[in-house]
Amino acid sequence: MTHILGISGSLRKASFNTRLLHCAASLVPDGVSFTAMTIEGIPLYNQDVEDAEGIPPAVTALKDAIRAADGVLLVTPEYNNSMPGVFKNAIDWASRPPRDSAGVFRGRKFAVIGASPGGFGTILSQNAWLPVLRTLETDYWTSGRLMLSRAGQAFDADGHLADPEQQEQLKRYLAGFTAFVRG
Ligand SMILES: Cc1cc2nc3c(=O)[nH]c(=O)nc-3n(C[C@H](O)[C@H](O)[C@H](O)COP(=O)(O)O)c2cc1C
């Protein structure tokens, strides 16, 4: 069984990215167990807090979830042509303390997708993740891209992708990432 962790980088209840994450959970290939999580409960990074109190429980849970995964799918919103600060903050916390970072990130398979109501579907946010994932020494999947634009019209009332072609696209993307994760 291949285990993939999907993380939505939005805290919004009606988040398009969290919806896309749940669509992904239902479209993974056979033999994949998929866990969906959000960054809810992760405090703002403050080294004084880390020094005084150590790693907060929500961050430990995130680190444990990443460590348990063969592959990690970041589902990122785009804010001001980059990734949202709250999502970067969560990954920054997960890279602490430095002695743990390699065990969490180094060599782990990562991929990034995203949804936005605009016409460019998070392309700049996805690009903004590249130096971060490079710095953390992840094994980043570059052979697929999935940018869900016009997200306001993309989902039906049940939260599924309304367009069968978009469903197929996500399914193909997940099949490609799974093959990469399985090596
Ligand atoms: C501060 C801020 C900046 C934004 N900048 C962009 C942007 O650069 N590109 C874009 O496509 N959408 C931008 N948006 C719109 C978001 O894509 C939209 O709010 C989206 O719904 C966020 O993802 P979510 O639905 O998963 O929460 C921005 C939204 C906020 C709040």
Side-chain angles (χ1 to χ4, degrees), residues 55-135:
I55 304 298
V59 176
T60 299
L62 175 63
K63 288 168 64 179
D64 288 347
I66 296 173
R67 277 195 201 98
D70 303 305
V72 179
L73 179 68
L74 302 183
V75 188
T76 189
E78 179 168 306
Y79 283 2
N80 294 315
N81 291 173
S82 189
M83 77 281 275
V86 288
F87 203 4
K88 174 70 162 43
N89 174 71
I91 297 300
D92 288 343
W93 255 124
S95 70
R96 302 296 297 178
R99 66 177 177 277
D100 283 2
S101 180
V104 174
F105 292 103
R106 183 179 293 157
R108 202 170 306 284
K109 316 281 187 186
F110 268 72
V112 180
I113 62 174
S116 114
F120 300 99
T122 71
I123 188 166
L124 293 170
S125 173
Q126 293 188 31
N127 285 352
W129 277 107
L130 293 173
V132 177
L133 295 172
R134 170 70 187 86
T135 298

Side-chain angles (χ1 to χ4, degrees), residues 18-42:
T18 304
R19 273 188 255 180
L20 182 60
L21 170 65
H22 288 127
C23 291
S26 68
L27 292 172
V28 289
D30 290 344
V32 172
S33 68
F34 190 96
T35 302
M37 76 185 291
T38 71
I39 53 172
E40 191 74 50
I42 296 192

